[in-house]
Amino acid sequence: MNENARDKAVIWVHDEMLSLSWLGYVRRAAERTEIVGAVFVFDDTWVADERLSLKRLVFMAECLEQMPGVEVRRGDVVQEVSAFAEAHGTTRIVSLASTSPRLRRQGEQLGVDWVCEPPFVELPARIDLKRFSRYWGKAKSRVFRTTEEIMEQA
Amino acid sequence: MPTLRRDFESRDDLIAHYREQFPEAAAVSDWVSDTRGGRDAAEALLDNVDPVEYGRTRNHLSGAVTRLSPYLRHGVLGLAETRDAALAKVDDPSRAYKLVNELAWRDYYRRVLAEIGDAVWDDREPYKTGLDAEDYADDMPDDVTNAETGNDFVDGSVRELYETGYLHNQQRMKLAAYVVHWRRVRWQAGAAWFLSHLLDGDVASNNLSWQWVASTFSHQPYIFNQENLRQWMGGRFTGDSVGGGSPFRGEYDEIKARIFPRA
């Protein structure tokens, strides 16, 4: 891979980041990288597997309508995002981190550089998640702060 | 051609394009919600959020719920951003307690999903109903999915799910409890059915909430009776069935004896 290819990247817009503000956020996080395009792919396998109804696709399409500059495709996500990156002269793909196993698998196949969203709450690693009450016992003293305050204390 | 249009003249134009592109999705359900996608709609709803009223009335069908869930699910709004907006509306953070607590459920479910991945489709724990997983049916009953049970709450909620892609949390919990406990259907079948239709459907909040109702992710099953149903439905649903009976009638002990005979 040549240096030019590393200096450029495309943003993979997935179904958990359907706001223009994430594009600016990912762009700022991927500093020293020129963002040369952004693409969203309606995942044919997901639509079929979860038997998504028309209203969900319309809702997502309306979100994308308010995200000018994002190319909208359908098909196989890995194939389409790779082809989009290649057409833009890069192999580097950046996106917003997700806990969805489907998105994580696709991101892994694409070699995505994930950008984490601002923390809702900062918690110790490996907290007990067996019940919400255990999570809340740790979270409640830390979550009633603004993101700015949380970031200042991080 | 894998590239979709994005230059629509109107909402009808957009809908027609997607209906043509995804006939299989239109075959699942051809309804389109009045809930509009996009950041503008999300910001308008966020402006209207009243954390104090939300805390006081959210369990009522006519309460001051936010209807932000489709936007949170799709990242049109961030969780932290929404919390910040809620805190900015109150003079003391404690006045936004319930709203922040509910946002925390979403954060919690996402964290659980990060830990368990695809196992979000497996029972986290055994049922605490006196029944084994094998005692539950694998598929949704047709009369439920066709909104033909004859019960006003069940059929009305199913129609609302199909037409709007949204249900109030009380309707979700009670409809899920009806499917799993009254009709004895595996929660996975109900969760998959909801994912098809909810604008906010995601495997974290959806599946783990179904597991909470089922008791595979909680200490006990969630059930309700007709009195409880009427308390929250604001007169929209009675819980009565055609002919005047109701599967939800009775004290909790009587209902438990009927639906959990081996407990």
Side-chain angles (χ1 to χ4, degrees):
Chain A
M1 187 189 309
N2 63 42
E3 278 306 304
N4 284 342
R6 285 301 301 176
D7 292 337
K8 295 197 289 187
V10 296
I11 298 177
W12 169 36
V13 178
H14 57 65
D15 56 86
E16 293 185 359
M17 52 183 294
L18 296 186
S19 164
L20 206 53
S21 58
W22 291 123
L23 267 60
Y25 182 80
V26 169
R27 196 182 293 269
R28 286 192 296 278
E31 52 187 8
R32 292 193 295 278
T33 300
E34 183 193 358
I35 300 295
V36 290
V39 64
F40 175 88
V41 182
F42 277 96
D43 180 346
D44 279 347
T45 304
W46 176 47
V47 171
D49 285 353
E50 286 196 9
R51 299 188 73 245
L52 295 186
S53 59
L54 180 66
K55 55 186 160 301
R56 174 84 83 94
L57 305 186
V58 167
F59 181 86
M60 290 194 284
E62 287 179 324
C63 293
L64 289 161
E65 246 199 321
Q66 293 181 12
M67 300 175 72
V70 176
E71 185 165 313
V72 182
R73 297 186 176 197
R74 67 171 295 180
D76 178 281
V77 171
V78 173
Q79 205 173 306
E80 292 300 327
V81 175
S82 299
F84 181 83
E86 195 180 326
H88 285 76
T90 184
T91 55
R92 190 167 175 222
I93 299 158
V94 293
S95 191
L96 190 70
S98 164
T99 63
S100 155
R102 167 177 53 88
L103 296 176
R104 282 181 162 188
R105 260 193 305 276
Q106 290 168 343
E108 197 173 313
Q109 289 179 59
L110 287 164
V112 163
D113 291 336
W114 297 112
V115 174
C116 292
E117 66 177 281
F120 177 70
V121 59
E122 289 278 18
L123 295 174
R126 298 179 183 282
I127 62 157
D128 184 355
L129 296 173
K130 187 173 169 62
R131 290 285 183 265
F132 177 79
S133 55
R134 300 185 191 183
Y135 157 90
W136 187 242
K138 299 278 187 206
K140 69 181 175 193
S141 63
R142 308 163 198 243
V143 74
F144 289 94
R145 298 172 192 164
T146 63
T147 305
E148 199 178 336
E149 290 165 340
I150 290 172
M151 299 303 278
E152 274 172 15
Q153 287 162 8
Chain B
M1 180 68 180
T3 304
L4 299 176
R5 276 176 57 201
R6 53 167 310 143
D7 55 332
F8 300 105
E9 287 172 9
S10 64
R11 190 177 202 227
D12 286 345
D13 186 22
L14 180 150
I15 292 166
H17 181 64
Y18 277 83
R19 187 175 276 135
E20 184 192 333
Q21 282 288 327
F22 295 93
E24 65 280 23
V28 171
S29 172
D30 196 40
W31 288 97
V32 173
S33 177
D34 289 338
T35 301
R36 301 292 180 102
R39 178 79 187 185
D40 293 349
E43 286 181 358
L45 283 175
L46 192 56
D47 281 348
N48 284 332
V49 167
D50 181 338
V52 177
E53 273 303 284
Y54 174 86
R56 202 173 63 78
T57 66
R58 71 186 183 89
N59 277 322
H60 293 275
L61 225 53
S62 56
V65 294
T66 67
R67 301 195 69 138
L68 291 177
S69 56
Y71 305 95
L72 292 167
R73 152 64 181 90
H74 287 292
V76 186
L77 295 171
L79 272 187
E81 168 187 27
T82 305
R83 181 264 322 279
D84 292 354
L87 292 179
K89 287 170 179 278
V90 292
D91 49 14
D92 186 306
S94 66
R95 290 167 63 78
Y97 184 91
K98 201 59 220 173
L99 182 51
V100 174
N101 175 264
E102 289 298 326
L103 293 170
W105 273 97
R106 197 168 281 271
D107 180 59
Y108 168 69
Y109 283 147
R110 286 181 185 175
R111 287 171 187 261
V112 174
L113 185 65
E115 270 197 12
I116 67 176
D118 291 316
V120 75
W121 285 103
D122 301 336
D123 297 348
R124 299 285 298 142
E125 300 161 18
Y127 284 84
K128 287 96 182 171
T129 56
L131 299 163
D132 298 324
E134 295 72 35
D135 295 321
Y136 293 81
D138 287 334
D139 299 314
M140 286 294 295
D142 287 343
D143 66 330
V144 176
T145 57
N146 292 334
E148 292 172 346
T149 66
N151 183 270
D152 77 334
F153 165 72
V154 174
D155 295 347
S157 296
V158 171
R159 280 193 291 270
E160 195 170 324
L161 171 67
Y162 293 167
E163 291 170 15
T164 68
Y166 174 83
L167 287 179
H168 186 284
N169 190 49
Q170 283 287 334
Q171 285 172 284
R172 291 182 197 219
M173 292 195 304
K174 288 175 165 57
L175 188 54
Y178 172 73
V179 168
V180 176
H181 300 312
W182 272 264
R183 302 301 298 269
R184 210 170 285 173
V185 175
R186 295 174 74 220
W187 66 262
Q188 287 90 340
W193 175 56
F194 265 25
L195 283 178
S196 279
H197 296 284
L198 285 172
L199 296 183
D200 59 31
D202 78 312
V203 293
S205 293
N206 180 65
N207 288 26
L208 293 168
S209 296
W210 274 83
Q211 297 223 43
W212 182 86
V213 166
S215 74
T216 57
F217 192 34
S218 56
H219 295 302
Q220 59 184 5
Y222 169 77
I223 62 165
F224 62 96
N225 66 8
Q226 194 168 14
E227 187 185 350
N228 175 272
L229 183 144
R230 288 182 176 186
Q231 179 184 352
W232 304 118
M233 295 298 146
R236 271 194 56 206
F237 301 114
T238 64
D240 282 335
S241 296
V242 173
S246 172
F248 313 122
R249 194 165 294 166
E251 299 297 323
Y252 279 97
D253 285 348
E254 295 165 16
I255 291 175
K256 281 182 189 168
R258 284 205 304 272
I259 62 179
F260 307 134
R262 301 212 301 265

